[in-house]
Amino acid sequence: MPDLIKSVTVKDIRFPTSLEKDGSDAMNLAPDYSCPYVTIITQSGLTGHGITFTVGRGSNIVCEAIKLLSHLVVGQDTTIIFSDFAHFWRSLTSEDQMRWLGPEKGVMHLAVAAITNAVWDLWAKIEGKPLGNFLLTWSLKNWFLLLISVIWMML
Protein backbone atom coordinates (compact mmCIF):
# COMPACT_ATOMS: atom_id res chain seq x y z
CA MET A 1 0.00 0.00 0.00
CA PRO A 2 1.41 3.43 -0.93
CA ASP A 3 2.68 5.64 1.87
CA LEU A 4 3.33 9.19 0.69
CA ILE A 5 5.84 11.51 2.28
CA LYS A 6 3.86 14.25 4.00
CA SER A 7 6.63 16.56 5.21
CA VAL A 8 10.34 17.22 5.39
CA THR A 9 11.55 19.45 8.20
CA VAL A 10 15.03 20.51 9.22
CA LYS A 11 16.39 21.77 12.54
CA ASP A 12 19.74 23.49 12.93
CA ILE A 13 21.41 21.87 15.95
CA ARG A 14 24.56 23.53 17.26
CA PHE A 15 27.11 22.55 19.84
CA PRO A 16 29.05 25.49 21.36
CA THR A 17 32.42 23.81 21.01
CA SER A 18 34.15 27.15 20.35
CA LEU A 19 33.71 28.20 23.99
CA GLU A 20 36.48 25.86 25.13
CA LYS A 21 38.13 25.59 21.69
CA ASP A 22 37.06 21.94 21.46
CA GLY A 23 37.74 20.64 17.98
CA SER A 24 39.81 23.65 16.99
CA ASP A 25 42.78 23.27 14.70
CA ALA A 26 44.96 25.46 12.48
CA MET A 27 42.10 26.05 10.01
CA ASN A 28 39.14 26.17 12.42
CA LEU A 29 40.05 28.39 15.33
CA ALA A 30 36.57 28.60 16.88
CA PRO A 31 34.34 25.90 15.43
CA ASP A 32 30.83 25.36 16.65
CA TYR A 33 30.01 21.86 15.54
CA SER A 34 26.60 21.77 13.94
CA CYS A 35 24.24 19.36 12.29
CA PRO A 36 21.23 19.95 10.11
CA TYR A 37 18.73 17.39 11.48
CA VAL A 38 16.11 16.23 8.96
CA THR A 39 12.82 14.59 9.87
CA ILE A 40 10.67 12.98 7.19
CA ILE A 41 7.07 12.12 8.09
CA THR A 42 4.83 9.90 5.99
CA GLN A 43 1.03 10.03 5.76
CA SER A 44 0.86 6.93 7.95
CA GLY A 45 2.88 8.71 10.66
CA LEU A 46 6.20 6.90 10.23
CA THR A 47 9.30 9.03 10.64
CA GLY A 48 12.82 8.92 9.30
CA HIS A 49 15.66 10.96 10.77
CA GLY A 50 18.93 12.00 9.17
CA ILE A 51 21.81 14.34 9.88
CA THR A 52 24.85 15.76 8.22
CA PHE A 53 27.81 17.49 9.87
CA THR A 54 28.78 21.13 9.40
CA VAL A 55 30.58 23.82 11.32
CA GLY A 56 28.89 26.95 12.66
CA ARG A 57 27.24 29.38 10.26
CA GLY A 58 27.73 26.96 7.37
CA SER A 59 24.83 25.05 8.84
CA ASN A 60 22.48 27.93 7.92
CA ILE A 61 23.26 27.42 4.23
CA VAL A 62 22.91 23.63 4.37
CA CYS A 63 19.54 23.95 6.16
CA GLU A 64 18.30 26.32 3.45
CA ALA A 65 19.46 23.90 0.74
CA ILE A 66 17.52 21.10 2.45
CA LYS A 67 14.41 23.28 2.48
CA LEU A 68 14.90 24.08 -1.22
CA LEU A 69 15.21 20.37 -2.09
CA SER A 70 12.28 19.24 0.07
CA HIS A 71 9.74 19.82 -2.73
CA LEU A 72 11.38 16.89 -4.54
CA VAL A 73 10.62 14.61 -1.57
CA VAL A 74 7.20 15.72 -0.30
CA GLY A 75 4.41 13.83 -2.05
CA GLN A 76 6.68 10.98 -3.15
CA ASP A 77 5.49 7.40 -2.68
CA THR A 78 7.95 5.53 -0.48
CA THR A 79 7.48 2.29 -2.44
CA ILE A 80 8.58 4.06 -5.63
CA ILE A 81 11.60 5.61 -3.88
CA PHE A 82 12.62 2.24 -2.45
CA SER A 83 12.13 0.40 -5.76
CA ASP A 84 14.73 2.65 -7.43
CA PHE A 85 16.74 4.43 -4.77
CA ALA A 86 19.41 5.43 -7.27
CA HIS A 87 16.81 7.33 -9.32
CA PHE A 88 15.60 9.11 -6.17
CA TRP A 89 19.17 10.09 -5.28
CA ARG A 90 19.78 11.37 -8.82
CA SER A 91 16.61 13.46 -8.66
CA LEU A 92 18.03 15.27 -5.63
CA THR A 93 21.52 15.76 -7.05
CA SER A 94 20.28 16.83 -10.50
CA GLU A 95 17.75 19.50 -9.50
CA ASP A 96 18.01 22.02 -12.34
CA GLN A 97 18.36 25.24 -10.38
CA MET A 98 20.53 23.91 -7.54
CA ARG A 99 22.82 21.49 -9.38
CA TRP A 100 25.35 24.14 -10.29
CA LEU A 101 26.15 24.53 -6.58
CA GLY A 102 27.85 21.14 -6.71
CA PRO A 103 25.87 17.96 -6.17
CA GLU A 104 29.02 15.95 -5.56
CA LYS A 105 30.61 18.35 -3.07
CA GLY A 106 29.90 21.19 -0.72
CA VAL A 107 26.52 22.51 0.34
CA MET A 108 24.37 20.40 -1.98
CA HIS A 109 26.26 17.23 -1.12
CA LEU A 110 25.62 17.84 2.59
CA ALA A 111 21.94 18.68 2.01
CA VAL A 112 21.36 15.56 -0.09
CA ALA A 113 23.19 13.47 2.52
CA ALA A 114 20.90 14.61 5.33
CA ILE A 115 17.78 13.89 3.26
CA THR A 116 18.94 10.48 2.05
CA ASN A 117 20.05 9.52 5.56
CA ALA A 118 16.49 10.25 6.73
CA VAL A 119 15.09 8.15 3.87
CA TRP A 120 17.42 5.24 4.76
CA ASP A 121 16.20 5.46 8.36
CA LEU A 122 12.56 5.55 7.23
CA TRP A 123 13.09 2.56 4.94
CA ALA A 124 14.67 0.51 7.73
CA LYS A 125 11.76 1.34 10.05
CA ILE A 126 9.25 0.27 7.40
CA GLU A 127 11.16 -3.01 7.08
CA GLY A 128 11.13 -3.35 10.88
CA LYS A 129 14.91 -3.63 11.20
CA PRO A 130 17.64 -1.56 12.83
CA LEU A 131 19.34 0.48 10.11
CA GLY A 132 22.61 -1.47 10.30
CA ASN A 133 20.84 -4.81 9.88
CA PHE A 134 18.73 -3.42 7.07
CA LEU A 135 21.78 -2.26 5.12
CA LEU A 136 23.42 -5.66 5.56
CA THR A 137 20.41 -7.33 3.94
CA TRP A 138 20.14 -4.90 1.02
CA SER A 139 20.47 -6.70 -2.31
CA LEU A 140 23.67 -6.62 -4.32
CA LYS A 141 21.65 -5.31 -7.26
CA ASN A 142 20.59 -2.27 -5.21
CA TRP A 143 24.15 -1.56 -4.06
CA PHE A 144 25.40 -1.92 -7.63
CA LEU A 145 22.75 0.46 -9.02
CA LEU A 146 23.53 3.03 -6.35
CA LEU A 147 27.26 2.76 -7.04
CA ILE A 148 26.72 3.20 -10.78
CA SER A 149 24.59 6.30 -10.06
CA VAL A 150 27.30 7.80 -7.91
CA ILE A 151 29.97 7.13 -10.53
CA TRP A 152 27.71 8.56 -13.27
CA MET A 153 27.26 11.78 -11.28
CA MET A 154 31.03 12.15 -10.93
CA LEU A 155 31.65 12.04 -14.67
Side-chain angles (χ1 to χ4, degrees):
M1 186 164 124
D3 195 4
L4 303 180
I5 294 176
K6 182 173 77 172
S7 67
V8 175
T9 59
V10 61
K11 292 181 183 175
D12 186 355
I13 299 174
R14 309 250 178 138
F15 303 92
T17 51
S18 63
L19 298 176
E20 300 293 325
K21 304 294 184 205
D22 295 329
S24 63
D25 57 33
M27 295 298 294
N28 301 289
L29 302 178
D32 280 327
Y33 291 162
S34 310
C35 64
Y37 186 95
V38 172
T39 302
I40 293 176
I41 302 174
T42 67
Q43 285 184 332
S44 69
L46 291 172
T47 61
H49 303 272
I51 65 168
T52 192
F53 178 79
T54 61
V55 177
R57 291 180 300 277
S59 190
N60 298 23
I61 299 167
V62 176
C63 287
E64 285 303 311
I66 291 166
K67 291 173 189 174
L68 291 168
L69 290 172
S70 67
H71 76 279
L72 298 170
V73 182
V74 173
Q76 293 290 321
D77 181 339
T78 58
T79 56
I80 292 172
I81 292 173
F82 304 155
S83 69
D84 190 354
F85 195 80
H87 176 76
F88 171 73
W89 183 80
R90 279 193 307 271
S91 75
L92 296 176
T93 59
S94 300
E95 202 278 343
D96 290 348
Q97 296 181 17
M98 301 299 288
R99 187 177 194 289
W100 68 276
L101 294 173
E104 69 284 344
K105 60 190 171 296
V107 171
M108 295 312 295
H109 182 80
L110 293 169
V112 169
I115 292 169
T116 55
N117 286 342
V119 172
W120 282 109
D121 184 55
L122 176 65
W123 194 355
K125 287 176 180 173
I126 288 171
E127 295 293 323
K129 299 177 183 176
L131 182 57
N133 290 353
F134 170 71
L135 292 175
L136 288 173
T137 61
W138 213 37
S139 77
L140 238 114
K141 176 186 172 192
N142 286 338
W143 283 114
F144 179 74
L145 290 172
L146 187 61
L147 178 63
I148 294 301
S149 294
V150 170
I151 291 169
W152 175 77
M153 286 304 296
M154 297 172 120
L155 298 177

